[in-house]
Amino acid sequence: AGNQHQIQAIVNAGLLPAIIETLGAYECDVKKEAVGVCSNIATEGSSQQIRHLVECGVLESLCEVLRSTLDVKLALETIQVILSSGAKLVDQGQCTSNPYAEMVQSFDDSSAIEGLISHSDFDIRSLAQNITSTYFQTEAENSAQPDVQPPPMQRPKEGNHASEEDENEDENDDGKGFWDSDR
């Protein structure tokens, strides 16, 4: 896979499922080539081509590659590019959360990525840290952040002189405090 036109030819020919299937091949050379093709599609493809790649199951297969010792770095780089594409979908208002990050989490493979944070190879360790901190909140971060919500804002007590601005807010008051609203 090369440019978007060549990638589209692969998509049109229906070859993506076969390419993704080879990510699970026992032959190291075959698996390595399949990772390379998926990486090229993720880095050079359009957002629609990347979406099709994901729909064909590439994320789960790449996460399986992370559990092997072969091409972990290229698999991580490819996952990072795909997650970045998902972040762009959010930025463009096409969705409210990164669908590709949610997929990785649904496979419980964000833990496979987190496990690579202690890898002996600096590049792999750095990639895993970057992916985890950018797209996934770790258990340590969850427990480090207190689950405290600020109290709702109080309306002025009767008898207090509210400003004209406060009175206009009261006309639109739905009974919820500021923090309870969808603002």
Side-chain angles (χ1 to χ4, degrees), residues 145-151:
Q145 295 178 359
D147 190 22
V148 177
Q149 299 225 348

Side-chain angles (χ1 to χ4, degrees), residues 1-136:
N3 61 37
Q4 288 185 7
H5 180 72
Q6 293 166 327
I7 292 169
Q8 193 59 47
I10 290 171
V11 170
N12 292 344
L15 295 175
L16 282 182
I19 293 168
I20 292 168
E21 186 177 320
T22 59
L23 289 170
Y26 291 108
E27 299 84 12
C28 292
D29 291 341
V30 173
K31 185 182 287 194
K32 184 176 182 177
E33 291 300 321
V35 172
V37 170
C38 292
S39 177
N40 287 342
I41 293 170
T43 55
E44 300 298 326
S46 68
S47 61
Q48 291 84 10
Q49 291 167 333
I50 294 169
R51 183 177 303 148
H52 188 67
L53 184 67
V54 170
E55 289 170 352
C56 289
V58 74
L59 282 172
E60 188 170 15
S61 296
L62 285 172
C63 288
E64 286 299 318
V65 171
L66 296 180
R67 289 176 169 66
S68 72
T69 57
L70 178 70
D71 287 325
V72 171
K73 182 178 176 191
L74 186 57
L76 268 178
E77 290 170 341
T78 305
I79 291 169
Q80 183 178 36
V81 170
I82 292 170
L83 292 172
S84 175
S85 178
K88 288 177 187 172
L89 295 174
V90 174
D91 293 343
Q92 295 168 352
Q94 295 181 26
C95 40
T96 56
S97 61
N98 187 328
Y100 305 148
E102 289 175 2
M103 287 177 135
V104 171
Q105 287 179 317
S106 74
F107 310 139
D108 195 34
D109 285 325
S110 58
S111 60
I113 296 169
E114 290 171 10
L116 293 171
I117 290 173
S118 60
H119 197 276
S120 60
D121 183 283
F122 175 79
D123 292 335
I124 291 172
R125 189 171 56 241
S126 296
L127 270 169
Q129 287 172 337
N130 187 354
I131 291 169
T132 302
S133 66
T134 304
Y135 302 104
F136 308 108

